[in-house]
Amino acid sequence: DASVTADGDVHLSAISEGEIFALAIGGALAGAKGAGTGSSAALAGAGAVTYNTIRGGVESRIRRSQVTTTGDVSLIASDTSTITADAGGVAFSVAITSGSGSGSGTGVSIGAAVAFNRIRDGYVRAVIDDSQVDADGGISLSATSIADIDALTLAGAGAVGGSGGGGGYAVSGAGAYSQNIIVNTVAAYVVNSAEFQAHGDIVLTASDTSTID
């Protein structure tokens, strides 16, 4: 609760600038070489996982108060949270059997990358709640969300199997998965019988220009 009398403008500004930068890389290399009657096997596996979450809220509010000013009254709430996340997994295997005799060469490799990026359960609000506001200028409430997720997920795998005298195998697999979510509530409003008057414009604006790249 407050009583404010100002000779000029009254500005309330709340800004959230949460930021996450994450880099996850996994790599593996296996090599085997045999000759004669023996066999060679090479296995390689690599994975990378990144999980990033930003939660919270930002609010600019006049509540149970009386504000009188000769200028403007403005409430600004802004969220510019950013997640930049890169994940990659690379695996490579080589198996070679050469020479005389019954040898077999086997190479198996698996590479995977998984990323979860979330900006969620948040709010951006500009509110006049149960208050009296009298401005000789204008009254403006602005709530803006420009949250951004920039994610890159890569996976690679390679396998080489060779044999001299029978049998040769090579198996490789790679997969990449990325889940990116932005869920925020953005609002500018007057509530609970708030009273206000202005000699200028009265403007309420709520905008969400969040992006996922």
Side-chain angles (χ1 to χ4, degrees), residues 16-37:
S16 175
E17 299 178 330
E19 183 176 7
I20 294 176
F21 177 79
L23 176 63
I25 298 175
L29 175 65
K33 181 180 180 180
T37 59

mmCIF file with all atom_site columns, all heavy atoms in Angstrom, residues 16-37:
data_model
loop_
_atom_site.group_PDB
_atom_site.id
_atom_site.type_symbol
_atom_site.label_atom_id
_atom_site.label_alt_id
_atom_site.label_comp_id
_atom_site.label_asym_id
_atom_site.label_entity_id
_atom_site.label_seq_id
_atom_site.pdbx_PDB_ins_code
_atom_site.Cartn_x
_atom_site.Cartn_y
_atom_site.Cartn_z
_atom_site.occupancy
_atom_site.B_iso_or_equiv
_atom_site.pdbx_formal_charge
_atom_site.auth_seq_id
_atom_site.auth_comp_id
_atom_site.auth_asym_id
_atom_site.auth_atom_id
_atom_site.pdbx_PDB_model_num
ATOM 1   N N   . SER A 1 16 ? 13.037 -9.254  -16.962 1.00 0.00 ? 16 SER A N   1
ATOM 2   C CA  . SER A 1 16 ? 13.707 -10.539 -16.730 1.00 0.00 ? 16 SER A CA  1
ATOM 3   C C   . SER A 1 16 ? 14.599 -10.839 -17.926 1.00 0.00 ? 16 SER A C   1
ATOM 4   O O   . SER A 1 16 ? 14.133 -10.840 -19.072 1.00 0.00 ? 16 SER A O   1
ATOM 5   C CB  . SER A 1 16 ? 12.681 -11.663 -16.549 1.00 0.00 ? 16 SER A CB  1
ATOM 6   O OG  . SER A 1 16 ? 13.318 -12.916 -16.450 1.00 0.00 ? 16 SER A OG  1
ATOM 7   N N   . GLU A 1 17 ? 15.900 -11.116 -17.641 1.00 0.00 ? 17 GLU A N   1
ATOM 8   C CA  . GLU A 1 17 ? 16.868 -11.378 -18.707 1.00 0.00 ? 17 GLU A CA  1
ATOM 9   C C   . GLU A 1 17 ? 17.598 -12.696 -18.463 1.00 0.00 ? 17 GLU A C   1
ATOM 10  O O   . GLU A 1 17 ? 18.814 -12.778 -18.591 1.00 0.00 ? 17 GLU A O   1
ATOM 11  C CB  . GLU A 1 17 ? 17.873 -10.231 -18.805 1.00 0.00 ? 17 GLU A CB  1
ATOM 12  C CG  . GLU A 1 17 ? 17.246 -8.881  -19.144 1.00 0.00 ? 17 GLU A CG  1
ATOM 13  C CD  . GLU A 1 17 ? 18.262 -7.758  -19.199 1.00 0.00 ? 17 GLU A CD  1
ATOM 14  O OE1 . GLU A 1 17 ? 19.269 -7.840  -18.467 1.00 0.00 ? 17 GLU A OE1 1
ATOM 15  O OE2 . GLU A 1 17 ? 18.051 -6.806  -19.981 1.00 0.00 ? 17 GLU A OE2 1
ATOM 16  N N   . GLY A 1 18 ? 16.851 -13.729 -18.103 1.00 0.00 ? 18 GLY A N   1
ATOM 17  C CA  . GLY A 1 18 ? 17.463 -15.039 -17.870 1.00 0.00 ? 18 GLY A CA  1
ATOM 18  C C   . GLY A 1 18 ? 18.148 -15.563 -19.119 1.00 0.00 ? 18 GLY A C   1
ATOM 19  O O   . GLY A 1 18 ? 17.655 -15.393 -20.239 1.00 0.00 ? 18 GLY A O   1
ATOM 20  N N   . GLU A 1 19 ? 19.316 -16.194 -18.938 1.00 0.00 ? 19 GLU A N   1
ATOM 21  C CA  . GLU A 1 19 ? 20.073 -16.687 -20.089 1.00 0.00 ? 19 GLU A CA  1
ATOM 22  C C   . GLU A 1 19 ? 20.798 -17.981 -19.736 1.00 0.00 ? 19 GLU A C   1
ATOM 23  O O   . GLU A 1 19 ? 21.383 -18.099 -18.661 1.00 0.00 ? 19 GLU A O   1
ATOM 24  C CB  . GLU A 1 19 ? 21.080 -15.646 -20.556 1.00 0.00 ? 19 GLU A CB  1
ATOM 25  C CG  . GLU A 1 19 ? 21.862 -16.049 -21.806 1.00 0.00 ? 19 GLU A CG  1
ATOM 26  C CD  . GLU A 1 19 ? 22.785 -14.952 -22.303 1.00 0.00 ? 19 GLU A CD  1
ATOM 27  O OE1 . GLU A 1 19 ? 22.925 -13.925 -21.602 1.00 0.00 ? 19 GLU A OE1 1
ATOM 28  O OE2 . GLU A 1 19 ? 23.379 -15.127 -23.374 1.00 0.00 ? 19 GLU A OE2 1
ATOM 29  N N   . ILE A 1 20 ? 20.721 -18.942 -20.638 1.00 0.00 ? 20 ILE A N   1
ATOM 30  C CA  . ILE A 1 20 ? 21.463 -20.203 -20.500 1.00 0.00 ? 20 ILE A CA  1
ATOM 31  C C   . ILE A 1 20 ? 22.221 -20.454 -21.799 1.00 0.00 ? 20 ILE A C   1
ATOM 32  O O   . ILE A 1 20 ? 21.646 -20.380 -22.886 1.00 0.00 ? 20 ILE A O   1
ATOM 33  C CB  . ILE A 1 20 ? 20.522 -21.392 -20.215 1.00 0.00 ? 20 ILE A CB  1
ATOM 34  C CG1 . ILE A 1 20 ? 19.854 -21.251 -18.844 1.00 0.00 ? 20 ILE A CG1 1
ATOM 35  C CG2 . ILE A 1 20 ? 21.287 -22.711 -20.284 1.00 0.00 ? 20 ILE A CG2 1
ATOM 36  C CD1 . ILE A 1 20 ? 18.845 -22.345 -18.550 1.00 0.00 ? 20 ILE A CD1 1
ATOM 37  N N   . PHE A 1 21 ? 23.511 -20.773 -21.644 1.00 0.00 ? 21 PHE A N   1
ATOM 38  C CA  . PHE A 1 21 ? 24.304 -21.231 -22.785 1.00 0.00 ? 21 PHE A CA  1
ATOM 39  C C   . PHE A 1 21 ? 24.856 -22.614 -22.429 1.00 0.00 ? 21 PHE A C   1
ATOM 40  O O   . PHE A 1 21 ? 25.568 -22.762 -21.434 1.00 0.00 ? 21 PHE A O   1
ATOM 41  C CB  . PHE A 1 21 ? 25.458 -20.280 -23.102 1.00 0.00 ? 21 PHE A CB  1
ATOM 42  C CG  . PHE A 1 21 ? 26.335 -20.763 -24.226 1.00 0.00 ? 21 PHE A CG  1
ATOM 43  C CD1 . PHE A 1 21 ? 25.935 -20.615 -25.537 1.00 0.00 ? 21 PHE A CD1 1
ATOM 44  C CD2 . PHE A 1 21 ? 27.541 -21.390 -23.959 1.00 0.00 ? 21 PHE A CD2 1
ATOM 45  C CE1 . PHE A 1 21 ? 26.739 -21.079 -26.573 1.00 0.00 ? 21 PHE A CE1 1
ATOM 46  C CE2 . PHE A 1 21 ? 28.344 -21.854 -24.989 1.00 0.00 ? 21 PHE A CE2 1
ATOM 47  C CZ  . PHE A 1 21 ? 27.940 -21.697 -26.303 1.00 0.00 ? 21 PHE A CZ  1
ATOM 48  N N   . ALA A 1 22 ? 24.497 -23.609 -23.215 1.00 0.00 ? 22 ALA A N   1
ATOM 49  C CA  . ALA A 1 22 ? 24.904 -24.983 -22.908 1.00 0.00 ? 22 ALA A CA  1
ATOM 50  C C   . ALA A 1 22 ? 25.514 -25.639 -24.140 1.00 0.00 ? 22 ALA A C   1
ATOM 51  O O   . ALA A 1 22 ? 25.016 -25.492 -25.261 1.00 0.00 ? 22 ALA A O   1
ATOM 52  C CB  . ALA A 1 22 ? 23.706 -25.795 -22.427 1.00 0.00 ? 22 ALA A CB  1
ATOM 53  N N   . LEU A 1 23 ? 26.594 -26.376 -23.900 1.00 0.00 ? 23 LEU A N   1
ATOM 54  C CA  . LEU A 1 23 ? 27.259 -27.121 -24.960 1.00 0.00 ? 23 LEU A CA  1
ATOM 55  C C   . LEU A 1 23 ? 27.580 -28.520 -24.443 1.00 0.00 ? 23 LEU A C   1
ATOM 56  O O   . LEU A 1 23 ? 28.272 -28.666 -23.435 1.00 0.00 ? 23 LEU A O   1
ATOM 57  C CB  . LEU A 1 23 ? 28.552 -26.412 -25.386 1.00 0.00 ? 23 LEU A CB  1
ATOM 58  C CG  . LEU A 1 23 ? 29.422 -27.129 -26.433 1.00 0.00 ? 23 LEU A CG  1
ATOM 59  C CD1 . LEU A 1 23 ? 28.671 -27.266 -27.746 1.00 0.00 ? 23 LEU A CD1 1
ATOM 60  C CD2 . LEU A 1 23 ? 30.744 -26.394 -26.640 1.00 0.00 ? 23 LEU A CD2 1
ATOM 61  N N   . ALA A 1 24 ? 27.054 -29.538 -25.109 1.00 0.00 ? 24 ALA A N   1
ATOM 62  C CA  . ALA A 1 24 ? 27.303 -30.932 -24.709 1.00 0.00 ? 24 ALA A CA  1
ATOM 63  C C   . ALA A 1 24 ? 27.780 -31.715 -25.926 1.00 0.00 ? 24 ALA A C   1
ATOM 64  O O   . ALA A 1 24 ? 27.112 -31.741 -26.961 1.00 0.00 ? 24 ALA A O   1
ATOM 65  C CB  . ALA A 1 24 ? 26.030 -31.562 -24.142 1.00 0.00 ? 24 ALA A CB  1
ATOM 66  N N   . ILE A 1 25 ? 28.947 -32.333 -25.778 1.00 0.00 ? 25 ILE A N   1
ATOM 67  C CA  . ILE A 1 25 ? 29.550 -33.079 -26.888 1.00 0.00 ? 25 ILE A CA  1
ATOM 68  C C   . ILE A 1 25 ? 30.034 -34.436 -26.381 1.00 0.00 ? 25 ILE A C   1
ATOM 69  O O   . ILE A 1 25 ? 30.675 -34.513 -25.329 1.00 0.00 ? 25 ILE A O   1
ATOM 70  C CB  . ILE A 1 25 ? 30.733 -32.310 -27.508 1.00 0.00 ? 25 ILE A CB  1
ATOM 71  C CG1 . ILE A 1 25 ? 30.260 -30.973 -28.092 1.00 0.00 ? 25 ILE A CG1 1
ATOM 72  C CG2 . ILE A 1 25 ? 31.402 -33.143 -28.595 1.00 0.00 ? 25 ILE A CG2 1
ATOM 73  C CD1 . ILE A 1 25 ? 31.381 -30.109 -28.621 1.00 0.00 ? 25 ILE A CD1 1
ATOM 74  N N   . GLY A 1 26 ? 29.725 -35.470 -27.114 1.00 0.00 ? 26 GLY A N   1
ATOM 75  C CA  . GLY A 1 26 ? 30.222 -36.806 -26.797 1.00 0.00 ? 26 GLY A CA  1
ATOM 76  C C   . GLY A 1 26 ? 30.893 -37.422 -28.005 1.00 0.00 ? 26 GLY A C   1
ATOM 77  O O   . GLY A 1 26 ? 30.413 -37.277 -29.130 1.00 0.00 ? 26 GLY A O   1
ATOM 78  N N   . GLY A 1 27 ? 32.021 -38.106 -27.801 1.00 0.00 ? 27 GLY A N   1
ATOM 79  C CA  . GLY A 1 27 ? 32.734 -38.715 -28.916 1.00 0.00 ? 27 GLY A CA  1
ATOM 80  C C   . GLY A 1 27 ? 33.375 -40.029 -28.512 1.00 0.00 ? 27 GLY A C   1
ATOM 81  O O   . GLY A 1 27 ? 33.745 -40.222 -27.354 1.00 0.00 ? 27 GLY A O   1
ATOM 82  N N   . ALA A 1 28 ? 33.459 -40.945 -29.434 1.00 0.00 ? 28 ALA A N   1
ATOM 83  C CA  . ALA A 1 28 ? 34.085 -42.240 -29.162 1.00 0.00 ? 28 ALA A CA  1
ATOM 84  C C   . ALA A 1 28 ? 34.732 -42.776 -30.433 1.00 0.00 ? 28 ALA A C   1
ATOM 85  O O   . ALA A 1 28 ? 34.227 -42.569 -31.536 1.00 0.00 ? 28 ALA A O   1
ATOM 86  C CB  . ALA A 1 28 ? 33.063 -43.242 -28.639 1.00 0.00 ? 28 ALA A CB  1
ATOM 87  N N   . LEU A 1 29 ? 35.862 -43.459 -30.255 1.00 0.00 ? 29 LEU A N   1
ATOM 88  C CA  . LEU A 1 29 ? 36.592 -44.059 -31.378 1.00 0.00 ? 29 LEU A CA  1
ATOM 89  C C   . LEU A 1 29 ? 37.139 -45.407 -30.937 1.00 0.00 ? 29 LEU A C   1
ATOM 90  O O   . LEU A 1 29 ? 37.731 -45.524 -29.867 1.00 0.00 ? 29 LEU A O   1
ATOM 91  C CB  . LEU A 1 29 ? 37.736 -43.144 -31.821 1.00 0.00 ? 29 LEU A CB  1
ATOM 92  C CG  . LEU A 1 29 ? 38.673 -43.684 -32.903 1.00 0.00 ? 29 LEU A CG  1
ATOM 93  C CD1 . LEU A 1 29 ? 37.920 -43.866 -34.212 1.00 0.00 ? 29 LEU A CD1 1
ATOM 94  C CD2 . LEU A 1 29 ? 39.863 -42.755 -33.094 1.00 0.00 ? 29 LEU A CD2 1
ATOM 95  N N   . ALA A 1 30 ? 36.921 -46.435 -31.745 1.00 0.00 ? 30 ALA A N   1
ATOM 96  C CA  . ALA A 1 30 ? 37.438 -47.767 -31.432 1.00 0.00 ? 30 ALA A CA  1
ATOM 97  C C   . ALA A 1 30 ? 38.083 -48.351 -32.681 1.00 0.00 ? 30 ALA A C   1
ATOM 98  O O   . ALA A 1 30 ? 37.575 -48.193 -33.792 1.00 0.00 ? 30 ALA A O   1
ATOM 99  C CB  . ALA A 1 30 ? 36.307 -48.680 -30.947 1.00 0.00 ? 30 ALA A CB  1
ATOM 100 N N   . GLY A 1 31 ? 39.215 -49.038 -32.517 1.00 0.00 ? 31 GLY A N   1
ATOM 101 C CA  . GLY A 1 31 ? 39.886 -49.647 -33.654 1.00 0.00 ? 31 GLY A CA  1
ATOM 102 C C   . GLY A 1 31 ? 40.460 -51.009 -33.288 1.00 0.00 ? 31 GLY A C   1
ATOM 103 O O   . GLY A 1 31 ? 40.966 -51.222 -32.185 1.00 0.00 ? 31 GLY A O   1
ATOM 104 N N   . ALA A 1 32 ? 40.344 -51.947 -34.170 1.00 0.00 ? 32 ALA A N   1
ATOM 105 C CA  . ALA A 1 32 ? 40.889 -53.285 -33.924 1.00 0.00 ? 32 ALA A CA  1
ATOM 106 C C   . ALA A 1 32 ? 41.461 -53.835 -35.230 1.00 0.00 ? 32 ALA A C   1
ATOM 107 O O   . ALA A 1 32 ? 40.900 -53.632 -36.301 1.00 0.00 ? 32 ALA A O   1
ATOM 108 C CB  . ALA A 1 32 ? 39.802 -54.219 -33.391 1.00 0.00 ? 32 ALA A CB  1
ATOM 109 N N   . LYS A 1 33 ? 42.592 -54.559 -35.110 1.00 0.00 ? 33 LYS A N   1
ATOM 110 C CA  . LYS A 1 33 ? 43.223 -55.129 -36.303 1.00 0.00 ? 33 LYS A CA  1
ATOM 111 C C   . LYS A 1 33 ? 43.739 -56.518 -35.964 1.00 0.00 ? 33 LYS A C   1
ATOM 112 O O   . LYS A 1 33 ? 44.414 -56.731 -34.964 1.00 0.00 ? 33 LYS A O   1
ATOM 113 C CB  . LYS A 1 33 ? 44.361 -54.228 -36.774 1.00 0.00 ? 33 LYS A CB  1
ATOM 114 C CG  . LYS A 1 33 ? 45.057 -54.743 -38.019 1.00 0.00 ? 33 LYS A CG  1
ATOM 115 C CD  . LYS A 1 33 ? 46.179 -53.801 -38.442 1.00 0.00 ? 33 LYS A CD  1
ATOM 116 C CE  . LYS A 1 33 ? 46.872 -54.322 -39.699 1.00 0.00 ? 33 LYS A CE  1
ATOM 117 N NZ  . LYS A 1 33 ? 47.970 -53.439 -40.144 1.00 0.00 ? 33 LYS A NZ  1
ATOM 118 N N   . GLY A 1 34 ? 43.410 -57.464 -36.820 1.00 0.00 ? 34 GLY A N   1
ATOM 119 C CA  . GLY A 1 34 ? 43.852 -58.834 -36.589 1.00 0.00 ? 34 GLY A CA  1
ATOM 120 C C   . GLY A 1 34 ? 44.357 -59.466 -37.865 1.00 0.00 ? 34 GLY A C   1
ATOM 121 O O   . GLY A 1 34 ? 44.085 -59.003 -38.960 1.00 0.00 ? 34 GLY A O   1
ATOM 122 N N   . ALA A 1 35 ? 45.069 -60.575 -37.739 1.00 0.00 ? 35 ALA A N   1
ATOM 123 C CA  . ALA A 1 35 ? 45.598 -61.275 -38.908 1.00 0.00 ? 35 ALA A CA  1
ATOM 124 C C   . ALA A 1 35 ? 45.574 -62.763 -38.642 1.00 0.00 ? 35 ALA A C   1
ATOM 125 O O   . ALA A 1 35 ? 45.469 -63.214 -37.504 1.00 0.00 ? 35 ALA A O   1
ATOM 126 C CB  . ALA A 1 35 ? 47.012 -60.800 -39.212 1.00 0.00 ? 35 ALA A CB  1
ATOM 127 N N   . GLY A 1 36 ? 45.704 -63.518 -39.678 1.00 0.00 ? 36 GLY A N   1
ATOM 128 C CA  . GLY A 1 36 ? 45.731 -64.958 -39.527 1.00 0.00 ? 36 GLY A CA  1
ATOM 129 C C   . GLY A 1 36 ? 44.336 -65.523 -39.317 1.00 0.00 ? 36 GLY A C   1
ATOM 130 O O   . GLY A 1 36 ? 43.367 -65.102 -39.920 1.00 0.00 ? 36 GLY A O   1
ATOM 131 N N   . THR A 1 37 ? 44.245 -66.491 -38.441 1.00 0.00 ? 37 THR A N   1
ATOM 132 C CA  . THR A 1 37 ? 42.969 -67.164 -38.213 1.00 0.00 ? 37 THR A CA  1
ATOM 133 C C   . THR A 1 37 ? 42.102 -66.455 -37.188 1.00 0.00 ? 37 THR A C   1
ATOM 134 O O   . THR A 1 37 ? 41.004 -66.903 -36.889 1.00 0.00 ? 37 THR A O   1
ATOM 135 C CB  . THR A 1 37 ? 43.217 -68.601 -37.731 1.00 0.00 ? 37 THR A CB  1
ATOM 136 O OG1 . THR A 1 37 ? 43.975 -68.558 -36.516 1.00 0.00 ? 37 THR A OG1 1
ATOM 137 C CG2 . THR A 1 37 ? 43.962 -69.396 -38.782 1.00 0.00 ? 37 THR A CG2 1
#
